[in-house]
Amino acid sequence: MDMRRKCFLFKDVFFSYASFQNGRRDRIPGTPLPPETFSLSIPYLELECSRPILVEGPNGSGKSTFLKLCGGLLTPRQGSISFEGTPLFPFPSRAPNRSPFVVYVHPTPYLFKGTGRDNLLLPLGWKGVPVQEGERQLAKVISLFNLESLLDRPYWAFSSGEAQRLALGRALLAEPEVLLLDEPTTALDREADHLIDRLLGYAEERGISLMVASHDPLMQRRCTTSLDISRYSSFHISEHQGDFS
Amino acid sequence: MNTIAWYEIFEISGRSLLFALAATLFALLVGVPAGFALGHPRPCGSTLHRLLVSLVGALTALPTVTLGLVLYLLFSRSGPLGFLDLLYKPGLVIFGETLLALPLVIHHLYSGLHRPGDSRTLLLHETLITLGAQGPGYLWAMIREKSPLVWGAATLAFGRILGEVGLVMMVGGNIRFFTRTMTTTIALETSRGNLPEAVLLGILLVAMALAVNILFHWFQQQEEKMG
């Protein structure tokens, strides 16, 4: 297991979807926000993620937004986010044949055209993993998530739960430093508890840290640390910015 | 009244098809990366970006004779690029047709990637980025996932180019056995009063456009089946 200290550092971070609604991604501090805008404001946060972290909060409190900020998929309007000292904005360009730093798994994942096997092998191709090594990693993930029956099925023939299992396997094959899971068990069946245990075991074995947004009691029990995101978020209803800081 | 021999009709049809396919290919080679860059699901929102979107939109309505005139002025003997000796050559015709189709390809992709209420494109973009796709890998995956959009752009570009007459006439010169295409022949034969030939060529042109479109759709369906 990788014992390095993996840490996200948030400094004066302010994010609002208002910038996207306008089709703009400006980061000008103090720009007035339109009324009824969700925003996330994190003055300072040091997040050690060597143990699985549960991101908590009611619906609409910004769990997905927080995970996407950690994954470099959203850009804050102001402030900085770094992982192990590397700023996430602009998104760090990965050196060829290297794993991505952080991988985010959507609650309703996107499956690429092709079969289940194609979906699993695609990130390995981007990483430049040799075929034999890729097949060895693939075999392990297949047995971990019971994916044998899904390998030759076309992408449009999966149920939500099967797609979720496939996406989890695909993300693990990318071998990131941190895996961000957004409601990973919503579509899973009663086998989910075994799957979660196997996922946590595999991640620990490969040195992959986990950050999970979930309402699943099973997942909540397995995570040793939690972060309540609702204290950082607000639903801005005033015409003047500043009352949420 | 001069009539056109059958072999000449085939020769003209072949040239039209060749010019149109070559120009479509070049327009796609340049336009597809440009279209995906401009239609990025998370636009940078800069003034330059907005200006480019407006410019590309405006260029889709560019009168072909205007483009023909610009190219003529550039490539005529006294023009700044006259030394290249390209005027009235097939290469310049294909280049002009490529320029004509380019805004259509880019605009079609941009519009397709920015359909209101379409969250799948953003989901695809985020999935690619987060799984580590970069540069050519990202572009190739985008093309593969959005192939109906690319085939649509190809069909649009091909149709626009095949039916083009003003630009081909101006920079190609309608030279027999060299730059004469179906559209310029139709114009010529109509002016000569050879209406049966003009009508025949018109029917052939429509049939050719239909055949190529059916072929494009067939390719698209095969690709979807192979999935």
Side-chain angles (χ1 to χ4, degrees), chain A residues 20 23-25 68 73-74 91 93-94 100 102-104 106 108 110-114 123 126 155 170-171 174, chain B residues 42-45 50 120 123-124 126-134 137-138 141 144-148 223-224 227:
Chain A
F20 290 109
R24 298 190 60 174
R25 202 169 56 174
K68 284 188 179 183
L73 297 176
L74 290 175
F91 195 68
S93 63
R94 185 175 53 92
V102 188
V103 167
Y104 171 85
H106 292 83
T108 48
Y110 186 98
L111 295 185
F112 302 117
K113 284 180 183 172
W126 291 326
Y155 72 104
R170 186 174 65 182
Chain B
R42 288 246 191 259
C44 64
R50 285 196 295 264
R120 294 284 297 166
L123 185 62
L124 164 64
E126 288 185 346
T127 306
L128 287 172
I129 291 290
T130 201
L131 288 173
Q134 288 181 319
Y138 174 89
R144 203 170 121 75
E145 295 302 311
K146 292 284 172 190
S147 60
E223 199 198 308
E224 289 292 318

Side-chain angles (χ1 to χ4, degrees), chain A:
Chain A
M1 182 183 151
D2 190 353
M3 294 304 286
R4 273 181 303 148
R5 189 169 176 268
K6 295 175 185 175
C7 186
F8 281 99
L9 185 63
F10 287 68
K11 275 185 186 167
D12 294 323
V13 170
F14 175 72
F15 174 83
S16 160
Y17 280 105
S19 49
F20 290 109
Q21 283 161 4
N22 297 336
R24 298 190 60 174
R25 202 169 56 174
D26 57 273
R27 267 162 278 158
I28 305 161
T31 319
L33 290 172
E36 299 188 352
T37 302
F38 169 81
S39 65
L40 204 60
S41 182
I42 307 174
Y44 186 86
L45 178 67
E46 208 177 320
L47 203 56
E48 166 86 47
C49 47
S50 50
R51 293 264 174 266
I53 296 173
L54 180 75
V55 181
E56 288 182 301
N59 291 340
S61 58
K63 299 186 292 296
S64 299
T65 305
F66 178 77
L67 290 184
K68 284 188 179 183
L69 282 168
C70 290
L73 297 176
L74 290 175
T75 313
R77 273 164 74 100
Q78 66 181 66
S80 67
I81 306 172
S82 58
F83 175 71
E84 288 184 328
T86 308
L88 289 180
F89 310 101
F91 195 68
S93 63
R94 185 175 53 92
N97 304 344
R98 279 281 315 276
S99 299
F101 286 116
V102 188
V103 167
Y104 171 85
V105 182
H106 292 83
T108 48
Y110 186 98
L111 295 185
F112 302 117
K113 284 180 183 172
T115 60
R117 179 185 289 274
D118 295 334
N119 267 276
L120 291 168
L121 286 174
L122 216 53
L124 294 176
W126 291 326
K127 266 171 66 182
V129 175
V131 179
Q132 277 192 337
E133 170 63 15
E135 289 291 339
R136 199 183 58 74
Q137 290 182 21
L138 186 67
K140 199 159 188 182
V141 169
I142 287 169
S143 65
L144 190 75
F145 290 116
N146 296 333
L147 299 175
E148 289 90 349
S149 59
L150 312 183
L151 290 179
D152 297 318
R153 217 186 281 174
Y155 72 104
W156 42 263
F158 292 107
S159 71
S160 313
E162 288 168 336
Q164 216 159 25
R165 267 162 52 204
L166 203 66
L168 284 171
R170 186 174 65 182
L172 281 177
L173 280 170
E175 297 231 308
E177 299 275 339
V178 183
L179 191 56
L180 308 166
L181 304 176
D182 196 351
E183 302 289 359
T185 55
T186 42
L188 296 180
D189 54 23
R190 276 192 269 174
E191 292 280 309
D193 47 349
H194 301 300
L195 194 138
I196 290 166
D197 284 336
R198 275 176 278 168
L199 168 72
L200 291 172
Y202 182 85
E204 192 177 354
E205 182 192 318
R206 308 290 295 190
I208 301 170
S209 302
L210 291 176
M211 208 188 292
V212 189
S214 177
H215 295 287
D216 185 346
L218 271 169
M219 192 56 106
Q220 290 176 342
R221 280 202 294 275
R222 300 293 195 283
C223 293
T224 46
T225 320
S226 69
L227 172 76
D228 183 7
I229 202 67
S230 58
R231 62 191 163 122
Y232 296 113
S233 62
S234 74
F235 197 70
H236 184 85
I237 49 169
S238 153
E239 285 189 4
H240 305 287
Q241 189 192 342
D243 47 346
F244 42 75
S245 55

Side-chain angles (χ1 to χ4, degrees), chain B residues 143-166:
Chain B
I143 291 172
R144 203 170 121 75
E145 295 302 311
K146 292 284 172 190
S147 60
L149 210 54
V150 178
W151 282 114
T155 311
L156 203 65
F158 180 80
R160 167 81 151 159
I161 294 165
L162 193 68
E164 173 43 35
V165 56

